[in-house]
Amino acid sequence: IEYRARTDDGPWHWVNARGRVSARAADGRVTRISGVMMGIDERRRAEAEVERARAQIAEARALLDKTLVKAPLDGVVLQRHHKTGESVTTSDRIVTLGDTSRLMVRVDVDETDVAKLALGQTAWVRADAYGDRKFPGRVTRVGEMLGRKNVRTDEPSERVDKKILETLVLLDDGVRLPVGLRVDAYIQVQ
């Protein structure tokens, strides 16, 4: 049994008492116990130190976990906004991630052509960097509201007051193009 006992000189100490019954009365009452009492203050202090150290380790692990940055999705780092070792806050953008396994192209469809659009239409894109090569895809989303042009060409005759309908084209599996590459899009209409 472990308990605290006050010694004759006044202070409290932790004691470990071990013993056994060495004599009983005829009616079964214990009349004598033989055993040993040992002071265990040092052991108790050491156990307290171990618990304190465990708490410090748990706190350090919790603080370390707050320094780890975990991505909310699988993807490729497209751009780093901070360097290793720089301080950031929870509102700072650290990296730009993207899923490059399936590429999408945002197409600005002129307001005069919106009646010809439909989901699932065959489409393809071309980029000057790839010559006449065509990259196939399908229309997966047609916007609901006309808006301002997102992309401007260098043509002096380009009208900037025209409205567009933003449309998404999902490129076929296996198409690999650099993210952000400007392309010309073509949608096949029936």
Side-chain angles (χ1 to χ4, degrees), residues 125-172:
V125 298
R126 287 186 55 257
D128 289 340
Y130 292 91
D132 290 333
R133 190 168 166 201
K134 294 180 180 180
F135 301 95
R138 294 214 169 276
V139 173
T140 57
R141 191 178 83 186
V142 176
E144 298 291 326
M145 186 171 88
L146 291 169
R148 294 178 182 243
K149 288 180 111 176
N150 294 315
V151 177
R152 307 263 191 271
T153 66
D154 295 329
E155 299 287 325
S157 62
E158 178 183 22
R159 291 188 54 195
V160 294
D161 63 338
K162 282 197 167 191
K163 300 280 187 182
I164 58 94
L165 188 65
E166 190 173 277
T167 303
L168 290 182
V169 171
L170 177 65
L171 298 181
D172 290 352

Side-chain angles (χ1 to χ4, degrees), residues 34-150:
S34 301
V36 176
M37 287 180 32
M38 295 184 299
I40 56 169
D41 285 341
E42 288 302 314
R43 190 187 87 201
R44 281 297 190 141
R45 272 194 281 281
E47 287 171 350
E49 284 297 318
V50 168
E51 281 306 309
R52 211 172 358 266
R54 284 186 179 138
Q56 288 172 337
I57 289 170
E59 180 182 12
R61 282 189 178 135
L63 290 172
L64 177 63
D65 284 346
K66 288 183 179 185
T67 66
L68 297 176
V69 177
K70 297 176 184 174
L73 55 95
D74 288 339
V76 175
V77 174
L78 300 174
Q79 184 178 10
R80 289 175 53 180
H81 302 286
H82 289 277
K83 294 184 174 125
T84 303
E86 286 184 333
S87 295
V88 294
T89 66
T90 55
S91 62
D92 286 346
R93 185 184 313 171
I94 300 170
V95 296
T96 300
L97 291 176
D99 179 5
T100 58
S101 62
R102 305 269 331 257
L103 296 177
M104 297 191 94
V105 175
R106 187 179 313 133
V107 180
D108 287 354
V109 177
D110 192 271
E111 63 186 327
T112 59
D113 295 323
V114 297
K116 302 172 191 172
L117 287 174
L119 290 177
Q121 284 177 312
T122 302
W124 67 90
V125 298
R126 287 186 55 257
D128 289 340
Y130 292 91
D132 290 333
R133 190 168 166 201
K134 294 180 180 180
F135 301 95
R138 294 214 169 276
V139 173
T140 57
R141 191 178 83 186
V142 176
E144 298 291 326
M145 186 171 88
L146 291 169
R148 294 178 182 243
K149 288 180 111 176
N150 294 315

